[in-house]
Amino acid sequence: MGVKARFALIVRNDENVPRHSIPVRVYYTYTSPDGLWHSVIKVKEAEVDFDPLGEHQDWFDFNLENPGTYKFYLIVNGQEEDEKVITVNSQESISAVMTCNPEFVTEGVNSVSCRVDVENLGGTAEDIWITNIYFAGGEIYDESSADNLVIPNPSSLTLNAYSTGAFTFVIPINDELQERVPVDLSDINPGTPIRCDTHAKKSNLRIY
């Protein structure tokens, strides 16, 4: 579901000298229709060697799964070189936005509390439940599994037409979490965003 956008990534070396191991990165920020702003997330990264007056070309696809405004930034060697703004309008009957506190995992943080606010925009009642939750690239909840690190509350929602509801869950920052994620949590620098995303059945939206 969602809208797939294909990005052409073109970076040129305007100098008549070679450039080696230049970091090229693409980040985005997201603002939901109700004005909630979400943290900067990295979506593309490469280390590029440039010939004199050379050019690097690449492309990538990105699925814009939530309605709202996406602002993409191209960062080359630490400097912002370009940006692109894409607005996605909802054609779904369900919208969902997730917020987590704190937004950044740093030393001394023992847990992250998350809330998924869901709204039924359609004229009929809908049953909704969370199917999967991921943290820092690792799956910590699977609706079909009994071995889960977190438990959404409630387990499901029945939303009447044009009504709202919310799921909540707490992610413990502990040894069991470390076993499920591919990053070393002890090496995270203060202020480093750790991505958490959730799949909610019926809405087919990925919430960041």
Side-chain angles (χ1 to χ4, degrees):
M1 298 297 291
V3 178
K4 180 179 285 188
R6 172 158 291 187
F7 291 81
L9 183 60
I10 302 174
V11 182
R12 298 182 181 89
N13 177 14
D14 292 330
E15 298 180 357
N16 196 20
V17 294
R19 304 288 298 276
H20 300 293
S21 296
I22 302 300
V24 176
R25 300 182 175 95
V26 178
Y27 298 84
Y28 81 92
T29 60
Y30 165 73
T31 306
S32 65
D34 56 3
L36 290 176
W37 179 84
H38 293 246
S39 303
V40 175
I41 297 174
K42 181 166 58 180
V43 295
K44 180 73 174 178
E45 180 175 28
E47 296 286 334
V48 180
D49 292 334
F50 289 94
D51 293 328
L53 303 176
E55 182 177 276
H56 170 74
Q57 295 190 22
D58 196 359
W59 61 270
F60 65 95
D61 291 336
F62 188 83
N63 208 37
L64 311 169
E65 294 182 323
N66 280 330
T69 301
Y70 296 78
K71 189 172 185 179
F72 292 82
Y73 301 87
L74 172 62
I75 309 295
V76 180
N77 207 23
Q79 299 294 319
E80 182 181 334
E81 298 293 344
D82 199 4
E83 64 181 48
K84 177 70 175 178
V85 177
I86 299 176
T87 300
V88 178
N89 296 317
S90 175
Q91 295 182 349
E92 300 286 342
S93 62
I94 301 294
S95 71
V97 175
M98 183 171 71
T99 54
C100 292
N101 184 40
E103 291 188 39
F104 303 100
V105 175
T106 60
E107 185 177 358
V109 172
N110 297 319
S111 64
V112 176
S113 299
C114 296
R115 176 185 175 96
V116 180
D117 288 288
V118 186
E119 182 177 6
N120 182 1
L121 305 171
T124 60
E126 299 285 2
D127 294 324
I128 304 165
W129 58 95
I130 293 175
T131 59
N132 304 88
I133 299 172
Y134 299 84
F135 181 86
E139 187 175 55
I140 58 175
Y141 175 79
D142 179 352
E143 183 236 349
S144 64
S145 173
D147 182 24
N148 288 306
L149 182 64
V150 302
I151 301 175
N153 182 36
S155 58
S156 64
L157 286 170
T158 298
L159 293 185
N160 293 325
Y162 311 111
S163 65
T164 61
F167 296 98
T168 61
F169 54 88
V170 176
I171 304 171
I173 310 300
N174 56 20
D175 292 340
E176 185 179 353
L177 174 65
Q178 181 65 84
E179 293 176 359
R180 295 172 183 256
V181 301
V183 299
D184 188 343
L185 296 177
S186 65
D187 290 339
I188 295 172
N189 295 321
T192 300
I194 300 300
R195 189 174 109 178
C196 176
D197 59 274
T198 300
H199 297 269
K201 196 163 185 177
K202 171 56 186 173
S203 67
N204 291 317
L205 296 177
R206 178 176 292 176
I207 308 117
Y208 294 96

